[in-house]
């Protein structure tokens, strides 16, 4: 269309110095700045520290017997400047205890006696442990002698638990298929801003873990295959030669290799024929381990180039019931996801050697694994798998405290899922799905809980958790991407990821890094999106004509600084679209005026905000009388 118009953007109304505003910073974060563990420019401070554990775990699972037995040796290193008189142990499995605090009711089939500690020694000294003491997912252990700064302590623990009949994020999938997660006692995070993480797990908000090194040995009966986080160290000891060979071949194959078909599994020739086999896995600098076990799941695998500089490939594997149509596509969908994540958004080579999709009932991410439901809608199955795989970066590459600030991982996974879908099914279809599945319900939900500021700690939320963890932050990331442009946004995102991968970033580390890396003062934007009760609602306040210049006045009723288009139609049948970046709200967040100078007569004006769905579209249209 020929541009005959001179367009001016003028801002009227009260001009407040919003661009120089500072963000609300809690006293615990202020303390971290004072101690120089974090830096106000968004970098880890010169005194940054985090604690570390070396875990050697041995677990025996003999399905259909539901008792999981384990022993573990933990070397826990105190890198903090503090003397620790006790340790806080995380026992997430206690969520199954009848008396556990839960955000929602539990079925009888979900209940078990929880984690049972059979022996617990600290530096070989036995500690008295009372399994009936509490239904908590935390238990404090008083140390016989305090753990000094830069010293370590050795824990020896024997434990067992009953895997629940009803599966949640872990549990029994069928009598011969188990999913083990949070299956070993671990030391909680002790950090620089909050000390011991003692938040109760209530089956809602997610996790917060240190980066540890693991060796995991899983003993199962013959004919059971084990899939787990990490690298399998002994394929030839546990698999028959043909199957070890097929697995090896998949590490350089683009096309899917059926490592074990249903016929292979049924004929019981996949594993070595010892009474039991012990599968050995290792993973370093990782926040958790998860395990899938089955005697009838089929096993697909291939791999994909994830790092062009080093030519590194990542293995993509899937374990599932042969009847699940969607999972037969899982490996190729996963290769596509690993490729897009590595090369487009976030555009950081997939940081692990492997990903396994395991059919379960969780739609949940674990390091190097996802546990997803089967879905008859093949596109939806891919969408869910994309989301869970995207979590690799947030929270597993970046050590997010999901328990307190879920938007730091869910918001990004939701954003990545849209960006991946854009390549997979095209922009229009991807945005339609994002609106339908993510944004629509929030837009329509006019309740106080939904309008709590995103920064509200996740553990203090209930009804508002979903939209505050997923939808609103995802829209903020997309609005910022639009405002900065793809190149600068990616540069800033990479700066944040470079600074904080393998560490524990807080929301303020993200805000400050984006300011620092962009060279812009974005606090007005972060204040607008994360610290207010805003929602999305624009309104055409009026259209007037002064001496041949039209003034289109837009009120931002909901308040969020969103991008949108002003569509102007003229009496001669032509029209113009004026795109507005979120930057238009920097100086005045309540109102803006678009001046349109030209010879044409305006017939109507319409506002369109796409995925930034407007809560009241009725006032987005103006028609000349
Ligand atoms: Zn998620």
């Amino acid at each position: 269309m020929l541009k005959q118009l001179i367009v001016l953007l003028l801002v009227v109304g009260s001009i407040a110095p919003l661009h120089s505003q500072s963000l609300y910073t809690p006293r615990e974060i202020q303390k971290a700045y004072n101690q120089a563990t974090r830096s106000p420019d968004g970098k880890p401070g010169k005194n940054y520290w985090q604690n570390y554990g070396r875990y050697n775990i041995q677990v025996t699972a003999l399905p259909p017997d539901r008792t999981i037995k384990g022993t573990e040796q933990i070397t826990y290193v105190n890198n903090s400047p503090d003397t620790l008189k006790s340790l806080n142990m995380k026992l997430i499995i206690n969520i199954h205890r009848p008396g556990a605090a839960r955000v929602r009711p539990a079925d009888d089939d979900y209940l078990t006696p929880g984690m049972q500690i059979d022996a617990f020694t600290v530096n070989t000294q036995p500690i008295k442990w009372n399994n009936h003491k509490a239904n908590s997912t935390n238990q404090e252990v008083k140390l016989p002698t305090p753990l000094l700064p830069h010293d370590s302590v050795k824990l020896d623990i024997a434990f067992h638990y009953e895997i629940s009949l009803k599966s949640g994020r872990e549990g029994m999938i069928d009598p011969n298929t188990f999913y083990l997660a949070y299956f070993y006692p671990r030391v909680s995070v002790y950090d620089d801003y909050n000390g011991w993480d003692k938040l109760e797990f209530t089956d809602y908000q997610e996790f917060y873990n240190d980066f540890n090194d693991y060796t995991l040995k899983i003993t199962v009966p013959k004919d059971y295959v084990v899939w787990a986080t990490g690298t399998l160290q002994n394929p030839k000891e546990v698999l028959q030669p043909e199957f070890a060979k097929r697995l090896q071949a998949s590490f350089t194959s683009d096309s899917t290799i059926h490592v074990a078909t249903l016929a292979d599994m049924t004929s019981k020739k996949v594993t070595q024929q010892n009474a039991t086999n012990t599968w050995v896995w290792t993973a370093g600098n990782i926040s958790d381990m998860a395990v899938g076990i089955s005697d009838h799941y089929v096993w697909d695998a291939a791999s994909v180039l994830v790092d062009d500089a080093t030519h590194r490939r990542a293995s993509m594997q899937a374990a599932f019931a042969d009847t699940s149509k969607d999972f037969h596509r899982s490996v190729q969908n996963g290769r596509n996801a690993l490729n897009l994540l590595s090369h487009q958004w976030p555009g950081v080579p997939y940081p692990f050697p492997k990903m396994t999709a395991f059919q379960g009932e969780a739609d949940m991410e674990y390091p190097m694994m996802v546990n997803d439901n089967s879905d008859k809608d093949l596109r939806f199955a891919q969408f869910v798998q994309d989301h869970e795989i995207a979590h690799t970066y947030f929270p597993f590459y970046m050590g997010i405290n999901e328990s307190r600030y879920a938007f730091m991982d869910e918001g990004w996974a939701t954003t990545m899922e849209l960006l991946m879908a854009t390549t997979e099914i095209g922009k229009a279809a991807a945005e339609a799905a994002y609106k339908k599945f993510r944004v629509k319900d929030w837009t329509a939900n006019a309740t106080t809980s939904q309008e709590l500021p995103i920064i509200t700690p996740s553990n203090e939320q209930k009804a508002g958790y979903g939209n505050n963890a997923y939808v609103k932050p995802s829209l903020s990331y997309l609005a910022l991407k639009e405002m900065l442009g793809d190149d600068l946004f990616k540069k800033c995102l990479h700066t944040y990821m470079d600074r904080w991968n393998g560490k524990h970033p807080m929301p303020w580390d993200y805000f400050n890094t984006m300011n620092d890396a962009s060279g812009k003062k974005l606090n007005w934007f972060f204040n607008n999106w994360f610290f207010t009760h805003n929602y999305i609602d624009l309104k055409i306040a009026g259209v007037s004509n002064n001496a041949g210049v039209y003034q289109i006045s837009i009120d931002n009723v909901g308040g969020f600084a969103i991008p949108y288009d002003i569509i102007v139609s003229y009496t001669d049948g032509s029209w113009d679209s004026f795109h507005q970046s979120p930057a238009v709200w920097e100086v005045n967040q309540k109102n803006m005026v678009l001046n349109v100078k030209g010879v044409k007569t305006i017939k109507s004006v319409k506002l369109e905000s796409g995925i930034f769905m407007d809560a009241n579209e009725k006032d987005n249209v103006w028609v000349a009388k």
Side-chain angles (χ1 to χ4, degrees):
M1 182 181 50
L2 190 67
K3 284 263 182 219
Q4 293 172 313
L5 306 163
I6 301 160
V7 179
L8 301 165
L9 175 69
L10 287 183
V11 178
V12 296
S14 64
I15 295 177
L18 290 166
H19 54 280
S20 62
Q21 64 189 229
S22 57
L23 298 175
Y24 157 69
T25 306
R27 284 184 284 169
E28 59 196 2
I29 304 299
Q30 199 60 57
K31 189 184 80 183
Y33 295 147
N34 295 342
Q35 295 171 344
T37 52
R38 284 157 207 269
S39 168
D41 65 4
K43 289 187 194 125
K46 66 175 168 52
N47 297 331
Y48 181 82
W49 55 266
Q50 63 193 31
N51 289 353
Y52 156 82
R54 198 159 47 244
Y55 284 69
N56 286 312
I57 307 172
Q58 303 81 36
V59 162
T60 301
L62 306 170
D65 182 336
R66 294 193 290 116
T67 304
I68 308 297
K69 275 194 190 141
T71 55
E72 64 177 338
Q73 298 78 46
I74 306 172
T75 304
Y76 181 71
V77 182
N78 178 18
N79 291 319
S80 86
D82 307 327
T83 296
L84 304 177
K85 292 183 178 153
S86 62
L87 300 178
N88 190 65
M89 301 301 295
K90 280 280 173 204
L91 307 166
I92 300 292
I93 287 294
N94 280 352
I95 189 62
H96 292 279
R97 288 190 177 191
R102 267 181 291 267
V103 79
R104 57 176 99 78
D107 292 2
D108 287 350
D109 280 356
Y110 186 73
L111 302 179
T112 73
M115 183 61 79
Q116 304 293 310
I117 304 295
D118 303 315
F120 196 114
T121 70
V122 178
N123 292 334
T124 71
Q125 197 172 326
I127 299 287
K128 218 169 130 52
W129 186 285
N130 184 353
N131 281 311
H132 305 289
K133 192 173 157 196
N135 293 311
S136 174
T137 55
N138 293 287
Q139 195 149 331
E140 191 182 345
V141 175
K142 289 255 178 286
L143 293 172
T145 49
L147 176 57
L148 299 175
H150 312 295
D151 202 355
S152 66
V153 65
K154 281 199 165 61
L155 310 178
D156 243 286
I157 306 169
F159 61 91
H160 72 274
Y161 73 95
E162 196 180 297
I163 196 164
S164 60
L165 286 165
K166 184 184 160 66
S167 162
R169 286 179 176 142
E170 39 71 41
M172 189 184 96
I173 312 294
D174 67 47
N176 305 98
T177 305
F178 290 178
Y179 196 80
L180 313 187
Y182 331 116
F183 59 91
Y184 59 96
R186 67 181 297 150
V187 183
S188 294
V189 177
Y190 182 82
D191 66 27
D192 62 311
Y193 63 90
N194 190 49
W196 284 114
D197 171 34
K198 291 185 175 178
L199 283 182
E200 201 63 33
F201 175 65
T202 62
D203 225 356
Y204 207 36
Q205 85 276 4
E206 297 182 347
F207 307 97
Y208 182 35
N209 293 332
D210 274 325
F211 288 87
N212 298 319
D213 291 330
Y214 287 90
T215 301
L216 174 61
K217 296 180 178 170
I218 304 281
T219 300
V220 293
K222 66 179 173 187
D223 302 321
Y224 279 83
V225 173
V226 179
W227 296 267
T229 304
T231 302
L232 179 60
Q233 295 298 314
N234 60 341
K236 288 176 183 160
E237 280 175 33
V238 292
L239 292 168
Q240 300 221 18
E242 167 61 18
F243 300 91
K245 209 173 85 190
R246 289 187 203 171
L247 176 62
Q248 185 62 36
S250 75
F251 297 148
T252 51
S253 172
D254 286 340
S255 52
T256 303
I257 289 180
H258 304 298
V259 179
T261 64
L262 184 61
D264 295 330
M265 293 298 286
T266 311
S267 64
K268 303 194 179 299
K269 60 183 187 188
V270 176
T271 74
Q272 293 287 353
Q273 294 300 296
N274 310 307
T276 61
N277 291 310
T278 298
W279 299 60
V280 182
W281 305 85
T282 59
N285 193 32
I286 197 141
S287 56
D288 207 355
M289 299 291 278
V291 179
I293 300 167
S294 181
D295 72 346
H296 60 280
Y297 268 20
V298 301
W299 184 2
D300 280 357
S303 55
V304 60
L305 180 75
V306 292
D307 191 338
D308 299 330
T310 62
H311 308 290
R312 180 170 60 85
R313 296 175 74 87
S315 168
M316 179 69 217
Q317 305 186 26
F320 53 97
D322 195 47
T323 48
S324 303
K325 281 206 174 69
D326 53 345
F327 270 90
H328 282 279
R329 297 182 172 204
S330 183
V331 161
Q332 288 305 322
N333 285 344
R335 287 184 68 250
N336 171 71
L338 297 181
N339 174 46
L340 292 181
L341 290 162
S342 299
H343 294 103
Q344 289 188 8
W345 293 101
V348 171
Y350 180 73
F352 300 130
K354 192 183 74 176
M355 168 54 68
T356 301
F358 192 87
Q359 183 183 338
E361 294 164 7
D363 294 343
M364 179 67 195
E365 70 277 11
Y366 311 80
M368 298 190 221
M369 287 190 94
V370 300
N371 169 340
D372 284 353
N373 281 282
S374 175
D375 201 297
K376 285 200 167 57
D377 179 339
L378 300 183
R379 171 57 205 161
F380 192 74
Q382 181 181 19
F383 168 87
V384 172
Q385 185 176 292
D386 280 356
H387 174 100
E388 306 310 343
I389 292 178
H391 272 302
T392 295
Y393 296 87
F394 310 90
F396 300 132
Y397 182 59
M398 314 288 286
I400 306 298
N401 184 342
E402 308 163 76
S403 313
R404 281 175 199 272
Y405 296 110
F407 72 84
M408 295 181 78
D409 71 295
E410 294 299 353
W412 284 111
T414 303
T415 301
M416 294 305 152
E417 116 208 337
L418 171 68
L419 298 173
M420 293 157 92
T422 302
T423 303
E424 288 159 3
I425 56 173
K427 190 171 190 284
E431 292 191 347
Y434 182 84
K435 282 161 78 171
K436 183 178 162 211
F437 188 65
R438 295 297 189 194
V439 191
K440 194 168 155 249
D441 288 351
W442 164 59
T443 306
N445 193 340
T447 59
T448 317
S449 330
Q450 308 306 321
E451 282 161 28
L452 288 172
I454 299 172
I455 201 72
T456 310
S458 308
N459 57 299
E460 306 292 350
Q461 299 188 53
K462 200 174 166 189
Y465 172 82
N467 288 323
N468 272 322
Y470 293 71
V471 181
K472 290 159 67 179
S474 172
L475 288 168
S476 91
Y477 299 140
L478 292 162
L480 186 60
K481 175 172 173 286
E482 146 97 41
M483 188 166 84
L484 298 181
D486 280 2
D487 290 347
L488 182 56
F489 179 74
K490 189 174 268 190
K491 181 196 150 207
C492 297
L493 178 58
H494 284 190
T495 304
Y496 169 56
M497 294 177 76
D498 286 347
R499 287 178 177 183
W500 288 97
N501 80 75
K503 300 189 172 70
H504 296 310
M506 294 292 292
W508 292 266
D509 301 318
Y510 164 70
F511 302 139
N512 295 334
T513 292
M514 297 308 266
N515 278 325
D516 187 45
S518 68
K520 292 177 184 291
K521 290 177 173 165
L522 301 170
N523 280 354
W524 73 269
F525 177 88
F526 295 130
N527 230 347
N528 174 287
W529 274 96
F530 292 88
F531 295 87
T532 67
H533 298 82
N534 286 344
Y535 60 104
I536 297 176
D537 182 15
L538 298 181
K539 173 187 174 178
I540 301 179
V543 178
S544 58
N545 190 329
N546 292 322
V549 178
Y550 282 101
Q551 298 194 317
I552 303 170
S553 174
I554 316 288
D555 283 348
N556 194 340
V557 179
F560 272 148
I562 61 160
Y564 72 107
D565 295 310
I566 304 173
I567 317 285
V568 178
S569 300
Y570 306 100
T571 49
D572 67 358
S574 64
W575 58 276
D576 239 327
S577 176
F578 302 102
H579 185 65
Q580 309 298 309
S581 151
V584 298
W585 306 111
E586 178 171 356
V587 179
N588 182 344
Q589 299 194 7
K590 288 289 165 203
N591 176 270
M592 62 157 281
V593 173
L594 178 75
N595 281 13
V596 181
K597 189 181 178 188
V599 290
K600 294 186 181 183
T601 306
I602 293 181
K603 187 176 72 181
S604 65
V605 178
K606 196 168 85 179
L607 309 182
E608 278 182 5
S609 54
I611 55 171
F612 296 87
M613 293 176 77
D614 196 301
N616 177 14
E617 292 195 327
K618 288 196 189 100
D619 54 16
N620 291 3
V621 180
W622 175 89
V623 181
K625 300 239 162 56

